[in-house]
Amino acid sequence: MRRISFFDTTLRDGEQAPANAMGPEDKLDLALRIEALGVDYIETGFPASSPSDFEATRLISQHLTKARFTTFCRAVPQDIETAIEAGGTANHQIQVAATASDMHLRHKRRITRQQGIDEVAEAVALARSLGVEHVSVGLEDSSRGEDDLLQPMTEKAIEAGATCFVVADTSGAMTPDQYAGLIRKFRSWAPSPVRIATHCHDDFGLSTANALAGLEAGADEVQATLGGIGERAGNTALEEIAALLAYKEDHNGLRTDIDLAAMYEAYNVLRRVIRLEEPRNKAIFGAYAFGTAAGIHQQGMLRNPATYEYVEPDRFGRRRSILIGRHSGRSVLRHLLDQLGLEVSDTELDELYRVHIAEREGGDCEDLEVLKDRLARELGAGLVAA
């Protein structure tokens, strides 16, 4: 069983998305909560970009006790020196951004391939010379890079002292089979003990699938964010990939030490900080991720939750909710009345269904236990425990 390392980039890549700004104290609080989940690396931000990120890095570097912190730097000496000024060298991984596709070299950077390769190697060497033992190379847009750019860039960075390569599908362009193939190439160019990390974006809704494919193809680490926040459609969601590894470890031979039950609380703190509305249908964290309003499903779940519940809410600090509405049918109502010790005829059941469910004011769903309490009060019955 191979243990997968987790790199959390909520505080850097997650914050880069519109409306996701966090202050240094907020970042410190979140970093400690994320560390408690069992992640291995926490990216603090881009210290050279702003006083806020500099201060966040300073605070986080002083308070982490288990996870290593990572700073984002361009392949520029000043960025690396500023990152070290903010956090020192102990327990510090510097991540150097590499321009890894001809599209970005030509249209964004306007430099040659050789210049791109040289600046990365020089930045890695500088970080190592300043006492940073762990230097990661974040290969931006590597999913659209050519092998004759990516391979020499990787090999030169290893010669300079790079210890990890982040294979970034920056534009979310790849499918799982394509991304797995790319990871296998990097694994051949950068054999162990050099680490390979996935970094996937969700533009096609494939970030979790691509990350899993990359891990199965030999990557050691997954970069992710709480709730999948991040630029455009977001990043690989930490909770999704952690849940998938936990449930499928016997199938994939991959395991995680992430504390599944503590993720939801950390996510809710993040939501409050960035004022993120609660999604209804998001995997693991959605308001109704463990809820159902369909009568056919409810009938099975009342007898055995496993009929429709493969992912178990208790493992994630959640609870299941059976929501009663016009799609619920009469069998759920009969179930409630039986629990209340009330015997009614079919005609009476139809009338209760019409009044309390089908024509309920507003037409919204109502939690099973709330409806049960209401029926007990309105029908004057003694409540019998479920």
Side-chain angles (χ1 to χ4, degrees):
M1 192 74 68
R2 182 161 62 92
R3 180 185 178 277
I4 297 302
S5 172
F6 270 70
F7 178 113
D8 185 274
T9 183
T10 302
L11 310 181
R12 199 276 299 173
D13 209 341
E15 191 195 29
Q16 287 181 188
N20 285 357
M22 309 171 209
E25 294 290 343
D26 292 326
K27 283 193 172 187
L28 174 61
D29 180 37
L30 285 163
L32 294 176
R33 293 175 185 275
I34 292 166
E35 180 184 46
L37 299 179
V39 305
D40 302 272
Y41 297 84
I42 296 173
E43 193 167 23
T44 64
F46 182 2
S49 70
S50 70
S52 178
D53 273 16
F54 185 97
E55 177 63 9
T57 299
R58 188 187 69 81
L59 289 172
I60 293 169
S61 68
Q62 293 175 354
H63 287 84
L64 293 183
T65 58
K66 297 178 182 177
R68 181 169 283 123
F69 74 96
T70 300
T71 53
F72 181 88
C73 300
R74 295 167 298 181
V76 174
Q78 184 179 354
D79 282 15
I80 294 166
E81 292 161 0
T82 301
I84 292 172
E85 181 185 353
T89 58
N91 203 40
H92 187 174
Q93 174 180 257
I94 280 182
Q95 182 162 287
V96 175
T99 307
S101 73
D102 288 328
M103 179 178 291
H104 279 219
L105 286 168
R106 290 179 190 142
H107 299 289
K108 187 180 78 169
R109 298 292 311 287
R110 296 182 178 178
I111 60 175
T112 66
R113 281 185 171 188
Q114 193 59 52
Q115 287 173 310
I117 292 169
D118 290 343
E119 69 175 11
V120 170
E122 290 167 6
V124 170
L126 173 63
R128 292 302 300 265
S129 72
L130 294 175
V132 178
E133 294 183 9
H134 303 273
V135 182
S136 173
V137 176
L139 294 146
E140 187 179 19
D141 204 37
S142 56
S143 55
R144 293 188 292 180
E146 297 294 331
D147 289 1
D148 54 359
L149 167 63
L150 298 175
Q151 184 172 358
M153 182 174 282
T154 301
E155 292 171 348
K156 289 293 184 182
I158 291 173
E159 289 176 12
T163 57
C164 178
F165 289 88
V166 183
V167 183
D169 184 17
T170 305
S171 60
M174 287 199 140
T175 59
D177 61 312
Q178 291 175 316
Y179 191 68
L182 183 60
I183 291 292
R184 281 191 286 269
K185 288 180 184 178
F186 274 98
R187 185 79 283 174
S188 69
W189 301 330
S192 181
V194 176
R195 295 178 6 259
I196 303 293
T198 70
H199 183 102
C200 302
H201 281 262
D202 207 34
D203 298 74
F204 281 132
L206 291 173
S207 59
T208 298
N210 285 346
L212 178 63
L215 295 173
E216 291 176 333
D220 309 284
E221 179 174 290
V222 57
Q223 294 199 351
T225 63
L226 276 173
I229 67 168
E231 296 208 57
R232 302 184 314 281
N235 292 45
T236 302
L238 185 147
E239 69 279 2
E240 291 178 13
I241 191 67
L244 190 55
L245 293 179
Y247 271 83
K248 297 295 185 180
E249 65 176 22
D250 290 339
H251 174 70
N252 297 320
L254 308 174
R255 70 175 181 86
T256 173
D257 296 329
I258 296 295
D259 183 352
L260 302 182
M263 295 188 299
Y264 187 57
E265 182 179 352
Y267 172 64
N268 281 329
V269 172
L270 171 67
R271 283 204 309 111
R272 289 194 293 271
V273 169
I274 64 175
R275 298 178 177 85
L276 179 67
E277 292 184 8
E278 184 176 25
R280 291 184 182 180
N281 65 332
K282 185 165 178 46
I284 312 300
F285 285 166
Y288 301 130
F290 301 102
T292 179
I296 295 174
H297 290 197
Q298 291 172 347
Q299 186 174 7
M301 291 181 69
L302 288 169
R303 294 172 181 168
N304 183 346
T307 52
Y308 287 96
E309 196 176 77
Y310 179 73
V311 179
E312 305 144 300
D314 290 350
R315 290 190 71 175
F316 302 95
R318 307 292 307 276
R319 70 175 188 88
R320 78 178 53 89
S321 57
I322 294 180
L323 300 161
I324 309 303
R326 60 190 179 88
H327 296 294
S328 299
R330 290 160 179 76
S331 61
V332 173
L333 183 56
R334 174 72 76 180
H335 170 81
L336 288 180
L337 294 170
D338 288 345
Q339 288 190 332
L340 293 170
L342 293 174
E343 294 184 9
V344 298
S345 66
D346 288 344
T347 301
E348 291 170 326
L349 181 68
D350 287 343
E351 179 63 12
L352 287 168
Y353 178 80
R354 183 185 68 79
V355 171
H356 291 278
I357 297 177
E359 297 180 5
R360 181 169 176 265
E361 186 176 352
D364 290 336
C365 291
E366 186 172 23
D367 185 89
L368 179 74
E369 293 302 319
V370 174
L371 176 59
K372 182 178 175 180
D373 289 344
R374 184 160 62 83
L375 287 172
R377 292 192 305 271
E378 294 183 11
L379 299 178
L383 186 63
V384 178

